[in-house]
Amino acid sequence: MRANRCVRVCARLILLLIVTATALLAPPPPLFAADAPPPEAPPAEDVPAMGRTGPVGLRPPVLRGWEPPATPYGPGHRGVDLAAPAGTPVRAVTAGRVSFAGRVAGKGVVSVDLTGTGDPPLRTTYEPVTATVEKGEEVEPGEVIGTVDASGSHCSAAPCVHWGLRRGEVYLDPLSLLPPWLLHRGPSRLLPVPGTRPPH
């Protein structure tokens, strides 16, 4: 009787081992039906270049650029990191209404819903920031909304402010808010007027 019980337990264990090994070694199921094309990525959204100032000065170094994730929860960088020492004033890039000013996971965060950008509106977010504005306040382009915190930055090479942009749940490149004259480096150059002679 004891031997029969041992055989049954061993047979169950062997069967469980075979089923587990088969499940682990089987190829994964296809994500799409064989004749159906994979779903297309959402179309890239046009963001109006409506910014009138950079968030932390004129043309700060970009320590890490925008790297859109392939999937909603995939790896990527949902904003840009701009070099800015602690205490640097953080400015609203365009007019809007403060939708959040407070702490999230121990970091100071300010979010601004941009005026005239649809429903849902474009929203910029700045962190780590000590807010000088409150939720519901209207802000103008260039208005100081806070200062860069001394702690809470995720940049390891240098202090920075993380600047993000999104519409609803879709993250966008915040640098696209800035017009070309705020993005390009180098001095302006005057070109000769056609039909005139250059001075000697």
Side-chain angles (χ1 to χ4, degrees):
M1 180 111 159
R2 193 171 188 171
N4 283 340
R5 185 173 170 204
C6 184
V7 169
R8 282 192 313 238
V9 169
C10 287
R12 286 183 183 161
L13 285 175
I14 290 171
L15 181 63
L16 179 63
L17 233 161
I18 291 171
V19 169
T20 303
T22 303
L24 290 175
L25 297 175
L31 295 177
F32 311 106
D35 56 350
E40 293 182 21
E45 180 169 339
D46 287 333
V47 175
M50 57 193 293
R52 296 293 166 252
T53 183
V56 286
L58 192 60
R59 299 181 188 100
V62 176
L63 302 177
R64 184 173 177 196
W66 186 63
E67 300 164 12
T71 63
Y73 300 104
H77 193 233
R78 293 160 174 84
V80 294
D81 294 336
L82 305 173
T88 300
V90 177
R91 300 178 184 280
V93 296
T94 190
R97 179 184 300 271
V98 177
S99 58
F100 181 82
R103 300 195 79 69
V104 175
K107 295 181 185 180
V109 176
V110 175
S111 296
V112 178
D113 288 347
L114 307 184
T115 302
T117 58
D119 186 30
L122 290 172
R123 174 178 289 170
T124 56
T125 302
Y126 312 83
E127 66 176 81
V129 173
T130 300
T132 57
V133 292
E134 294 180 2
K135 181 179 178 180
E137 279 187 47
E138 296 283 339
V139 294
E140 295 298 320
E143 184 176 336
V144 174
I145 57 174
T147 56
V148 177
D149 277 348
S151 63
S153 171
H154 64 252
C155 298
S156 56
C160 76
V161 66
H162 177 84
W163 179 34
L165 174 68
R166 64 186 236 189
R167 182 184 302 277
E169 299 301 315
V170 178
Y171 288 89
L172 304 164
D173 182 1
L175 291 176
S176 62
L177 281 173
L178 301 179
W181 60 269
L182 273 175
L183 291 173
H184 297 302
R185 299 183 186 271
S188 299
R189 298 180 189 253
L190 296 176
L191 298 175
V193 176
T196 61
R197 290 178 20 166
H200 292 359

